[in-house]
Amino acid sequence: MHLRFLAPLHVCLKLVLRAACLCAVVATAVQAQPAKSITQDELQARLQEAKAQPELGHKLYTLGRKVAAVCANCHADQNGKAILEVPYLDGQNPAYLVEQIRQFSQGLRKNTFMEGILKAMSRDEMVGMVLFYEKEPLPARPPKDAALVAQGKAYFERICVNCHGTDGRGNERLPRIAGQHTGYVQMTLTRYREGSRVRSDPNMAFVTKGMSDQDIRAVASYLATMP
């Protein structure tokens, strides 16, 4: 289910206006008790249980697919256009995504809309959603500017591979950035470079400090073409 968004500049307002409706859909779809305070260890342990037990994994995956039907209103393409402040979740590293969910649900990572949605979700809903997105493929995106992509590739292979790997898929601590849409990557790298309170990380602050706007555009363009 995709909803049409009129303009990226008004994303925050639209998401807030949809919050009540989406929360109601979540409650109807999953019929579970909301989580009060879930620790990282609890979420990661449940994720490992689901991966070790096929029957449980399938059950949580099915639950997560229902939750993701709501998430798709923001985290999927909207009529072929991505929302600036919302990343694609398809193919994301499960352990990394679980930790981001926990941080949002406890207000450690700030976003009023996400905090509200996740606080209404149970541990199994969170883990199930992660299992669902782990298996979702990202569509291929051909380069729009070959020269810019080549510049981004060179920068990525010189700097970014040290943490995110040659395939851009990160690991349990770092996100998959391969295939992420350009708007979100540019916005996030700029926030790291400028020391925004929205996103802060000492390593990323150090790496992005020397990036020009052109470097950021180039890297974002290259990542969007990575499978």
Side-chain angles (χ1 to χ4, degrees):
M1 177 173 62
H2 287 182
L3 300 180
R4 184 166 184 166
F5 288 77
L6 299 179
L9 292 177
H10 303 299
V11 167
C12 292
L13 176 59
K14 293 185 183 70
L15 295 183
V16 170
L17 292 175
R18 284 187 171 88
C21 176
L22 294 183
C23 284
V25 174
V26 171
T28 301
V30 296
Q31 296 293 318
Q33 294 298 317
K36 297 301 182 183
S37 181
I38 302 175
T39 68
Q40 179 184 18
D41 288 343
E42 287 176 314
L43 283 173
Q44 296 292 357
R46 190 59 166 168
L47 175 62
Q48 295 309 312
E49 286 178 11
K51 287 184 168 294
Q53 302 174 34
E55 185 175 348
L56 175 62
H58 178 71
K59 178 182 177 181
L60 296 189
Y61 172 89
T62 302
L63 179 63
R65 183 170 56 193
K66 294 178 181 179
V67 175
V70 177
C71 304
N73 286 289
C74 300
H75 287 281
D77 273 348
Q78 309 300 321
N79 296 318
K81 295 183 179 180
I83 302 174
L84 178 64
E85 297 204 9
V86 181
Y88 294 143
L89 299 180
D90 309 273
Q92 190 54 264
N93 303 329
Y96 171 82
L97 190 52
V98 158
E99 172 57 8
Q100 302 315 300
I101 287 172
R102 182 193 70 83
Q103 289 188 24
F104 275 127
S105 69
Q106 297 182 356
L108 301 176
R109 182 172 171 180
K110 300 297 182 182
N111 181 290
T112 302
F113 182 79
M114 285 298 298
E115 290 174 42
I117 288 290
L118 290 170
K119 283 178 180 178
M121 291 170 60
S122 71
R123 176 194 62 178
D124 282 359
E125 291 163 12
M126 293 178 183
V127 173
M129 180 177 59
V130 166
L131 292 173
F132 172 79
Y133 275 115
E134 179 188 14
K135 297 181 183 300
E136 286 295 285
L138 277 169
R141 293 180 176 83
K144 296 180 179 180
D145 184 330
L148 192 64
V149 168
Q151 180 185 342
K153 182 176 186 293
Y155 192 99
F156 179 88
E157 292 178 345
R158 188 172 72 253
I159 304 295
C160 310
V161 294
N162 294 322
C163 295
H164 290 280
T166 56
D167 59 1
R169 299 198 175 194
N171 52 44
E172 291 186 353
R173 295 182 301 102
L174 296 172
R176 169 184 174 151
I177 53 178
Q180 191 57 259
H181 68 83
T182 56
Y184 184 76
V185 174
Q186 288 181 210
M187 178 196 68
T188 302
L189 290 177
T190 300
R191 282 176 169 174
Y192 279 131
R193 184 184 66 183
E194 296 177 352
S196 167
R197 292 183 180 180
V198 177
R199 296 302 297 272
S200 62
D201 178 271
N203 291 329
M204 286 302 299
F206 176 79
V207 170
T208 56
K209 185 177 181 180
M211 294 185 78
S212 66
D213 289 344
Q214 176 72 5
D215 291 333
I216 289 176
R217 286 193 297 271
V219 169
S221 297
Y222 173 60
L223 291 177
T225 68
M226 295 181 73

